[in-house]
Amino acid sequence: TYNLLPARLIGLSRYLKIDKGSLSGVKVGQAVIFEDNFIGKIVSVSPASSNVELLTDPDSKVAAFSQGLEGRAKGILLGQFGTEILMDKILHEEKVSIGDLVYSEGLEGFLPRGLILGKVTEVLERENEVFKQAKVTPIFDIRDLELVFVIKE
């Protein structure tokens, strides 16, 4: 089990702003979740608030795997601009289908394995490319959330 610190959302620009900071024990690099879903990671902290880098951020990179009826595939989730997330570096022989759920691999240290990252909305295959890619969309709209949780050590 993890030590979870509840935090309210107080702003959204490039980063999601939450109402907990260093006074509450929040540190850069900690994961922020909602239920079983990974929201993002803490990138900056002040005494009473913190900024969270979302999965859709162009700087975001997370090891991931998709799971569906056809099988599973491994890849790297890369934030795009807007609400797009791209799962890249998927081997052609691995099975990935529209509707598959995408989970965290947990290789980063700050991130537990098996958190939901989103679901596959499109599979991009090109004949002569080494890898295939999949477009991934978050399960819910970040603007609908009021409360998230910071995973503390």
Side-chain angles (χ1 to χ4, degrees):
T1 59
Y2 297 99
N3 182 2
L4 298 180
L5 174 72
R8 294 204 170 280
L9 279 56
I10 54 173
L12 179 60
S13 53
R14 176 176 175 181
Y15 300 119
L16 184 69
K17 194 172 192 125
I18 58 172
D19 71 349
K20 294 288 191 304
S22 55
L23 294 174
S24 305
V26 177
K27 297 186 180 86
V28 169
Q30 288 172 332
V32 177
I33 63 170
F34 173 72
E35 291 174 355
D36 294 333
N37 299 271
F38 175 66
I39 303 297
K41 72 172 180 189
I42 304 284
V43 287
S44 65
V45 177
S46 68
S49 68
S50 303
N51 283 326
V52 181
E53 177 187 272
L54 302 172
L55 274 175
T56 49
D57 193 278
D59 287 343
S60 174
K61 259 174 101 161
V62 176
F65 66 93
S66 64
Q67 181 82 50
L69 297 171
E70 299 273 304
R72 60 193 309 180
K74 285 183 173 193
I76 303 286
L77 267 200
L78 303 169
Q80 307 292 299
F81 290 94
T83 54
E84 289 276 294
I85 314 169
L86 191 67
M87 186 167 164
D88 197 8
K89 306 270 189 269
I90 305 168
L91 294 172
H92 279 287
E93 58 270 20
E94 294 193 323
K95 301 278 186 239
V96 59
S97 311
I98 291 172
D100 286 1
L101 281 178
V102 179
Y103 300 92
S104 56
E105 194 70 86
L107 302 177
E108 287 82 7
F110 72 93
L111 190 53
R113 181 180 167 86
L115 288 175
I116 298 169
L117 304 174
K119 72 169 186 260
V120 175
T121 52
E122 192 182 340
V123 178
L124 311 164
E125 293 197 59
R126 291 181 197 83
E127 293 274 314
N128 48 8
E129 297 283 324
V130 180
F131 298 107
K132 60 186 173 185
Q133 300 172 318
K135 283 190 177 171
V136 176
T137 305
I139 298 288
F140 49 80
D141 191 327
I142 204 82
R143 290 169 298 210
D144 294 339
L145 296 180
E146 286 178 23
L147 196 67
V148 293
F149 295 87
V150 181
I151 299 180
K152 294 172 69 183
E153 287 89 49

